[in-house]
Amino acid sequence: MSLKVYNTLTRTKEEFLPLEEGEVGMYVCGVTAYDECHLGHARAYVAFDVIRRYLEYKGYQVNHIQNFTDVDDKIIARARKMREKSSEKDLKELCKEVAEKYTMEYFEHMDKLTVKRATQYPRATEHIGEMIKLTEGLIRKGYGYQVDGDVFFEIGKFKDYGKLSQRKLEEMRAGVRVEMDERKRSPLDFALWKRSKEDEPSWDSPWGRGRPGWHIECSAMSMKYLGESFDIHAGGQDLIFPHHENEIAQSEGYTGKPFVRYWLHNGFVTINREKMSKSLGNFFTLREIFEKYDSRVVRLFFLSTHYRKPIDFSDDKLAKAKAGLERIENCLREVERKELREPAARTYRGSIYRTRFEEAMDDDFNTAAALGAIFDLVSRVNSCLEKGDLSSVSKAAPELRDFCQVLGLSLESGQEVRLEEDLVKLIKEREKARQKKDWARADAIRTKLREEGIILEDRPQGATWRRAE
RNA sequence: GGCGGCGUAGCCAAGGGGACCAAGGCAGCGGUCUGCAAAACCGCAAUUCGUGAGUUCGAAUCUCACCGUCGCCUCCA
């Protein structure tokens, strides 16, 4: 079976063939560290995490690079606000603090969502030299031009400009909404290097003190860590234009080589069918979301829709994802009770479930269809448990864990958690009451425990409990 | 104005010319189990895939038109 991926560059699904056999270079556009992460970030990074995990499942060694933008207008704006309150610190110091704070928060939230750590996380400010070198090269090759301390990229010089977003230059000019900077040769020319104001973070360059433009960092860092041509470049659909279009122009203009083989873009999170965004005021931060929902539920919610499609968020949908997650967990918990826990070795291949799972994932990482296979496998395991066919269970259960692991669904085993002393006493008391057929007492205890978040299930061997969550 | 996506049961969602009188989940209904539950199991539930026309032996799947909806064209995952 061959893996097919949808390439934004060609607008088709293509067979995935990396440059080096057995290895994949993958660059994911990271966050600008100026504010808390929201649901949209979570969706993107969960999507690319699953892609990375599946590539690893297929046997590839994945070199996953993800940047942090730690110098930018918005970070500076944030730092300026902070300075209004505590004026003793200088702006550069505050910019660093802002970036550091939100970088750490990013990790905190992504860990909750079980997003694997990238191989490396390069920061823009640590690669100023590389960016200056790229900019110099672009000027030398006639793509860049300097105007009093600013350097712009002249898009008219790059013949393929617009190939990713599939736009023609003439069309774009017609729709330009940006105010014209008189010093630019075309309104669509973009900054490679920006002259900076006195108090802003700045670095020495051949064009004076300044800081890099936004797009250049991704060209510089991706090529530094993955080479001038590499396999996968990923990000949100909103980055297609102008960010990724500009990256192609810079990188290919500089190297004369194809920059990226496969461009992958995830769809947006919407709230009530509208794009979630700060300007609309309808966004949810991950901090808010995790106060209400288990992060595993959030992850399953994302996986229930193909990563390129928009996904609409609502409490109701999260509640449904939660019910689905419980179905999988109840199944695995039951397997453990039967002491059938086995290492999730991939020894049992070729089942119809694995075929379906792989076919789904091979088809541009169709996690929604893959979940179909997972739920069918859950039904199969439950059914075998019911019939007492434990040899089938011991074959199917490791497979189920294996699939969940590929999707990054870390499931609770349910057994390692201890119950508080007084609650254990109550359960024992209830057992006695049940033996005496004192149903009123037994039910009262069950209700009380339910209020404590403990769900009791009576079984032939006695009652078992699990946390509600 | 230009470009692109989407519209499948009550809700979510996969499928994208014949194996589909359409996966899977949630909710619902009937049954089994249970003191009653919970969990689980068994079964039921779209004769139909936004609307209309067309291509085809055959269409949810292709073409055209229309309606609805969302996004990009400015920072954005």
Side-chain angles (χ1 to χ4, degrees):
Chain A
M1 275 307 291
S2 67
L3 172 62
K4 293 214 168 55
V5 302
Y6 182 88
N7 188 351
T8 306
L9 190 60
T10 57
R11 309 276 158 133
T12 53
K13 281 182 199 169
E14 298 174 23
E15 187 176 350
F16 179 72
L17 294 167
L19 283 166
E20 299 284 334
E21 207 183 317
E23 289 173 30
V24 176
M26 172 167 167
Y27 185 89
V28 178
C29 278
V31 295
T32 299
Y34 78 105
D35 205 350
E36 284 187 45
C37 287
H38 56 246
L39 268 179
H41 295 114
R43 203 239 175 142
Y45 300 118
V46 165
F48 300 129
D49 180 60
V50 169
I51 287 172
R52 182 244 177 112
R53 283 168 187 262
Y54 190 63
L55 289 168
E56 287 174 343
Y57 170 88
K58 297 282 274 186
Y60 291 110
Q61 176 81 37
V62 181
N63 193 193
H64 171 194
I65 305 298
Q66 186 169 318
N67 68 301
F68 280 107
T69 300
D70 58 354
V71 55
D72 156 277
D73 288 345
K74 284 184 229 143
I75 295 173
I76 295 170
R78 192 96 187 191
R80 282 226 158 86
K81 266 199 178 159
M82 283 169 71
R83 194 174 55 177
E84 286 167 16
K85 289 173 192 156
S86 61
S87 49
E88 62 273 12
K89 280 185 185 160
D90 83 355
L91 195 66
K92 288 163 205 138
E93 208 44 51
L94 287 167
C95 282
K96 263 192 187 169
E97 274 179 32
V98 169
E100 183 63 16
K101 176 175 187 244
Y102 292 110
T103 298
M104 288 306 118
E105 288 197 2
Y106 169 87
F107 283 126
E108 182 193 328
H109 291 134
M110 291 305 136
D111 286 349
K112 276 197 182 138
L113 287 164
T114 62
V115 170
K116 277 182 142 187
R117 293 288 175 112
T119 316
Q120 287 192 77
Y121 289 97
R123 269 92 163 156
T125 54
E126 292 163 3
H127 297 79
I128 303 293
E130 285 89 340
M131 294 188 233
I132 289 174
K133 195 180 147 218
L134 250 179
T135 304
E136 283 179 312
L138 286 168
I139 293 173
R140 205 179 322 119
K141 293 184 185 194
Y143 291 108
Y145 57 96
Q146 194 222 139
V147 194
D148 40 74
D150 285 328
V151 181
F152 297 105
F153 185 98
E154 187 170 2
I155 54 147
K157 290 274 169 67
F158 186 72
K159 282 169 291 306
D160 284 339
Y161 196 81
K163 73 175 172 182
L164 181 69
S165 50
Q166 300 205 337
R167 274 163 234 243
K168 295 188 181 69
L169 277 183
E170 314 79 67
E171 286 166 3
M172 286 192 276
R173 286 210 182 89
V176 161
R177 281 194 260 153
V178 212
E179 299 130 58
M180 177 63 176
D181 181 337
E182 290 305 321
R183 303 168 308 154
K184 286 194 207 171
R185 293 180 189 167
S186 154
L188 289 161
D189 289 356
F190 57 90
L192 294 167
W193 188 261
K194 296 174 165 179
R195 186 178 63 185
S196 55
K197 299 192 183 79
E198 263 313 298
D199 56 347
E200 291 175 351
S202 62
W203 291 262
D204 282 320
S205 81
W207 318 284
R209 295 289 290 179
R211 58 190 168 96
W214 173 40
H215 314 294
I216 197 77
E217 71 174 81
C218 286
S219 287
M221 298 194 282
S222 62
M223 291 198 286
K224 174 174 176 181
Y225 293 97
L226 297 171
E228 293 182 341
S229 294
F230 57 94
D231 301 306
I232 293 174
H233 194 124
Q237 267 166 8
D238 46 357
L239 298 181
I240 295 171
F241 188 87
H243 185 53
H244 289 160
E245 195 70 61
N246 291 352
E247 277 189 57
I248 292 175
Q250 293 164 343
S251 307
E252 299 191 353
Y254 182 81
T255 65
K257 295 176 192 165
F259 178 43
V260 166
R261 290 164 69 81
Y262 306 96
W263 286 92
L264 273 44
H265 294 95
N266 68 277
F268 294 125
V269 175
T270 60
I271 309 276
N272 296 323
R273 308 262 169 215
E274 270 189 327
K275 180 183 169 180
M276 184 181 77
S277 79
K278 294 209 167 170
S279 48
L280 289 167
N282 63 345
F283 72 101
F284 289 102
T285 66
L286 291 181
R287 192 167 301 287
E288 292 166 328
I289 291 297
F290 291 153
E291 277 167 18
K292 285 173 82 177
Y293 304 102
D294 189 301
S295 56
R296 295 166 307 148
V297 170
V298 177
R299 182 157 179 132
L300 185 67
F301 165 68
F302 288 138
L303 297 179
S304 66
T305 301
H306 184 94
Y307 78 95
R308 278 193 285 115
K309 280 198 172 181
I311 189 166
D312 195 53
F313 172 86
S314 70
D315 287 313
D316 174 55
K317 285 165 194 163
L318 267 278
K320 283 166 181 166
K322 182 182 164 189
L325 186 79
E326 277 173 5
R327 181 167 164 77
I328 301 172
E329 289 192 330
N330 288 342
C331 174
L332 287 174
R333 190 180 299 115
E334 225 34 59
V335 169
E336 281 191 14
R337 286 220 177 86
K338 301 273 188 225
E339 297 186 305
L340 285 166
R341 187 154 202 188
E342 289 188 7
R346 236 179 281 147
T347 47
Y348 183 61
R349 300 206 70 114
S351 79
I352 55 163
Y353 302 101
R354 189 174 295 274
T355 304
R356 273 177 60 197
F357 179 81
E358 290 180 359
E359 273 175 3
M361 293 300 284
D362 276 341
D363 183 16
D364 194 31
F365 314 101
N366 191 337
T367 52
L371 281 170
I374 285 183
F375 280 110
D376 278 345
L377 185 51
V378 166
S379 294
R380 159 100 181 137
V381 170
N382 281 334
S383 171
C384 288
L385 281 167
E386 196 83 2
K387 282 183 286 189
D389 178 2
L390 298 186
S391 80
S392 294
V393 172
S394 67
K395 275 186 188 167
E399 197 168 47
L400 179 56
R401 291 202 188 87
D402 195 20
F403 297 165
C404 288
Q405 200 250 318
V406 174
L407 297 187
L409 293 170
S410 69
L411 302 163
E412 300 223 311
S413 72
Q415 294 235 315
E416 65 244 330
V417 200
R418 277 272 167 92
L419 200 56
E420 292 82 346
E421 199 56 34
D422 51 329
L423 298 182
V424 174
K425 269 188 192 157
L426 273 177
I427 292 174
K428 282 186 183 148
E429 191 190 329
R430 180 167 173 275
E431 283 298 301
K432 280 182 193 149
R434 290 191 71 223
Q435 273 161 26
K436 284 186 237 158
K437 299 203 190 298
D438 181 357
W439 306 128
R441 179 65 188 148
D443 291 352
I445 293 173
R446 184 167 64 194
T447 306
K448 181 172 168 39
L449 284 165
R450 184 60 253 241
E451 281 157 11
E452 300 283 327
I454 303 295
I455 296 168
L456 283 184
E457 294 176 3
D458 293 324
R459 284 158 207 280
Q461 313 82 352
T464 61
W465 61 271
R466 65 189 164 93
R467 297 203 187 266
E469 255 258 88

